[in-house]
Every structure is written in C-alpha cells, then in structure tokens.
Amino acid sequence: MANTASLKIDDKSYELPIITGVEDEVALDISKLRGMSGAITLDPGYKNTGSCSSAITFLDGEKGILRYRGYAIEELAEKADFLEVAFLLIFGELPTKEQYQKFHADIKKQSIVDEDVKKILDAFPKSAHPMGVLSSLTSALTSFNPSSVNVNSEEDMYRAIVKILGKFPVLVAWTLRKKQGLPLDYGDDDLGYVQNILKMMFKSPSGEYKQNKILIEALDKLLILHADHEQNCSTSTVRIVGSSHAGLFASISAGISALWGPLHGGANQAVLEMLEAIKADGGDTKKYMAKAKDKDDPFRLMGFGHRVYKNFDPRAKIIKKAADEVLGDLGVEDPILDIAKGLEKEALEDQYFVDRKLYPNVDFYSGIIYRAMDIPTEMFTVMFALGRLPGWIAQWREMRLNKEPIGRPRQLYVGSPSRSFVPMENR
Ligand code: ACO
C-alpha cells in the first residue's frame, strides 16, 4: 500500500500519511490537514474517526472478533478469571502465579473505604438510581485519597490502580445494600476477588454467606465479557477526561455517567424492562417487532444493534449459552427467557433487521443472568461498570503513558453570523 493518500480541495492537492495497524486496518493521519489546508474533517458520533492508537483491545465488527491483548474473548471467558483478565488488560501480559497473588494481596490491602463515605451514601434517597450513586461515590473517593498520581512513577500509578480496584467493589456492594435497607458489609480477605464481591452484596445480616460455584463462575464470565471494548462512549469519556490530567477516580466517575445511558450500558436494564413490558402485554413479540420497525414510533428493540458489530457480537454468543446453563443449573424457569429467545428468532429472520445488520448485543442476555442471580434490575448497569473498570483503568493508563494531548475536537460553526448587541429595551 502507498504511504500517503491524496486529497484534492479546489485545485490544491494534499498528501495525508497512511498508517497501518497490526491487523492491517488502514488510517489516514489528518492531524496536520487543518494547518495545511484550513479544512477540518466532520464526523458526528465519530463513526469514522480513530481517536488514538491503542494496544489493548482489537475488535473486528464485520468478522465478530474481540481480543484483549491478542487473546480471543472466547478463550479468556472459558479459561481465565476476572482478576487475571484485569491484570492482562492493564499491564499487557497474563500474570504469573506470583504476580497474580501480589496483585490480589495489594488490592485487598487497599479495599478499606473511609467510614465517612457512608455519610455521603446515607444522604441519598433509597429511590436514587444506583448508577448516579456510584458515580458520586467514585468521585468522592478523590476527596478521601487526595494525593495526585505522578504518572511518571510506575509505583504511583500502580498504587492508584490497586486502590480503585479494591474500593470500587465495596462501593458497588454498599450501593445495593443501601437500596435494600441492609447494613453495609465488609469484605473478607480469605475470599477471591469475585467471591468477595458476591459476599459483600448478598450476605444476610444474620447468617453466613454460602458461596455458590455457579454464581461465581457466571459473574466471573459476565465481568470478563464486559471488561473492555476499545473506544466506546464511556471509555472515550474516561480517556478524554483523563487527558486534561484529571485524576483516575474523577475520570472513572465520568465514565460511569457515560455508561449509564440506555444507548450504552443502560441497555441491559432497558432490555429487561422491555421484556417485562412485553410479558405484561400478553407476550405478543410480533407487536413489538412492528413497533421497532415503525419510523413514527420511537420504540427500539433494546439489546439489538451495535455501533461496530455488524454481523454478530461474539460476547452475545457466549452469554446466550451462559444464560441457558446458569438458569438450568439454578433450576430457574423464567418466561422472560422464552420471550427473549422468541424475539431473537423473529428479528434474525426479519428483513428490516437483516438489512440493517441488527443482531442481539451483549446486553440482550446479560440481564437474564443477573436476574437469575437475584440482582435487582436497576443494578444491572452497575454490574457492567464493575466489569468495565479494568478496561477504563487500562485505557487511562495507556493514554497517560503515551503522553496523549488534551482531547479537544473542532467543530463546524452553523450559528448566527456576527451581529451587534441589542439593548434589552429595544428587543
Ligand atoms: N431497533 C430498531 N431499529 C434499530 C435499532 C434497534 N435496536 N438499532 C438501530 N436501528 C435502526 C435505526 O433506526 C437505523 O434505521 P434507518 O437506517 O432506517 O434510519 C439503522 O438501524 C441504523 O441505526 P443507527 O442508530 O444509525 O446505528 P448506530 O450505530 O448509530 O447505533 C446503537 C447503535 C445505539 C447500539 C443502536 O443500535 C441502538 O439504539 N440499539 C438499542 C440500544 C442498545 O441495545 N444499546 C447497547 C449497545 S451495546 C453496549 O453498549 C454494550
């Protein structure tokens, strides 16, 4: 392939460097275009814009490939645990046994959350959405851990990373317990990372928490599948907030807010609410298919479609199988699962969905598993955030280590031309 691409504006020609990725993806470097020609590129929603070079996650939406640091998601979901994947994403290699043990021990040491954070939690009404609470509490951690991260020191970076990996699950569990009116619980250093999360969330105040292997494996898998997804809306938010040299907690808190929206992480909650609405309405999936296709109806089939997967979402395949297994193992018979399967079958055969390459995404089935685990619907997106945390950290770390400039897009101004101020009495 040539080294440059030519762009002609009027009678002038500009050479744009061509950059190739390791998987032969092609990018045109337009960073000097404005300086050379005065023109900017316009791409609302960044559908065609690469914001950075990254060595963390590769995905090919046409072929349905997703790899973390070169490892296929299918293999990681089957063979690794979540903490191993977190280490891989953040530091680039799978941990040795010693590295894993040290990483886990360091996280445990940092998992104490200041008791005063409880006062902030107490100030929220029980009706508050857990994502709003989680974002606020994560932001509050900045005030309780004020030392700014010296990104030139690997040691400082590492400390900030294990701190947030230790404290975040506590905040997640407390958010749930507050909502349910339960006393807050503390972790247990003898437990694995995911086991500890389950214990902190579900331990009854009056009894022991009995670990369930099916639930541990299911949660491990769900968290791994959500752990990173390259430059999506929340990750781009984390990178752009971090690019102003705001700290890690502040950047992650912004990522949580971005994830909350129903077009992004909020979709898992929206999927379940949609399936319940269909069930309450008599289970007529055809009616909802028709609504989704009607351009005068704002209804969309939640859990279908993806910005980059235009064939299938590899995570959806894994999760569909996991949903069948978990429900089977737990002996749960859920009519919602039947509605979901019916809807998927109809959509896959429907011309509207086929033409637009709309396939079930990762969130179509994740909510069904969370429901079987007794996790309330409003907490689904919080669970997504818990899984995405290592990805956000890895992307923030990479952005800072690469010394990326502050994120600051351009715009095309389409407002009023210059005009004179009109005093109020003359308006
Ligand atoms: N139901 C019905 N029609 C849809 C759906 C859907 N879920 N998704 C897209 N379409 C249609 C659009 O109306 C549009 O039709 P048109 O070409 O006739 O105008 C076409 O498909 C393309 O849709 P866009 O919105 O342009 O696609 P985009 O890539 O911008 O959006 C998105 C992707 C936001 C995920 C979208 O498919 C959607 O809203 N899906 C439902 C929400 C959802 O499940 N989000 C989770 C995403 S995965 C994640 O964040 C983990």
Side-chain angles (χ1 to χ4, degrees), residues 416-420:
S416 167
S418 172
R419 47 184 171 162
S420 299

Side-chain angles (χ1 to χ4, degrees), residues 87-242:
F87 188 97
L88 170 72
L89 282 168
I90 297 168
F91 302 110
E93 294 297 337
L94 285 167
T96 61
K97 198 171 173 195
E98 291 71 33
Q99 284 172 325
Y100 181 94
Q101 283 168 346
K102 181 177 181 317
F103 189 46
H104 193 199
D106 292 336
I107 289 170
K108 281 191 277 197
K109 260 187 249 155
Q110 292 294 344
S111 63
I112 309 291
V113 173
D114 195 298
E115 286 290 296
D116 282 346
V117 172
K118 288 183 180 171
K119 292 186 197 150
I120 304 175
L121 182 64
D122 270 344
F124 285 102
K126 274 211 186 71
S127 57
H129 193 285
M131 282 298 273
V133 176
L134 186 66
S135 173
S136 307
L137 294 184
T138 308
S139 179
L141 285 184
T142 317
S143 319
F144 290 90
N145 302 272
S147 58
S148 61
V149 184
N150 172 10
V151 293
N152 298 316
S153 153
E154 263 299 316
E155 207 181 299
D156 249 42
M157 278 277 225
Y158 180 80
R159 202 172 313 115
I161 289 166
V162 292
K163 235 182 214 177
I164 193 145
L165 283 167
K167 296 182 199 313
F168 196 72
V170 180
L171 300 185
V172 166
W174 283 6
T175 303
L176 171 67
R177 296 184 80 91
K178 156 85 185 180
K179 201 153 182 66
Q180 296 187 324
L182 292 171
L184 304 184
D185 193 71
Y186 294 87
D188 178 342
D189 281 353
D190 292 333
L191 296 174
Y193 191 76
V194 168
Q195 286 175 314
N196 199 30
I197 292 170
L198 286 167
K199 185 245 167 194
M200 286 193 291
M201 288 173 79
F202 294 119
K203 188 187 168 301
S204 108
S206 54
E208 283 290 295
Y209 178 71
K210 265 183 100 181
Q211 294 285 343
N212 178 333
K213 202 165 164 277
I214 301 164
L215 297 190
I216 299 167
E217 281 175 10
L219 186 55
D220 241 322
K221 199 167 279 189
L222 282 162
L223 297 179
I224 290 171
L225 293 179
H226 283 100
D228 195 49
H229 212 237
E230 52 118 297
Q231 308 313 316
N232 55 81
C233 177
S234 56
T235 301
S236 300
T237 302
V238 168
R239 281 185 93 120
I240 208 162
V241 172

Side-chain angles (χ1 to χ4, degrees), residues 368-403:
I368 291 168
I369 305 184
Y370 285 136
R371 189 169 130 112
M373 297 173 76
D374 278 336
I375 295 177
T377 313
E378 271 197 337
M379 283 294 288
F380 291 178
T381 316
V382 166
M383 301 311 289
F384 187 161
L386 190 61
R388 186 53 56 87
L389 181 66
W392 286 334
I393 296 171
Q395 302 272 352
W396 173 85
R397 178 176 177 269
E398 180 180 73
M399 180 272 305
R400 292 305 307 265
L401 289 181
N402 286 351
K403 299 198 178 354

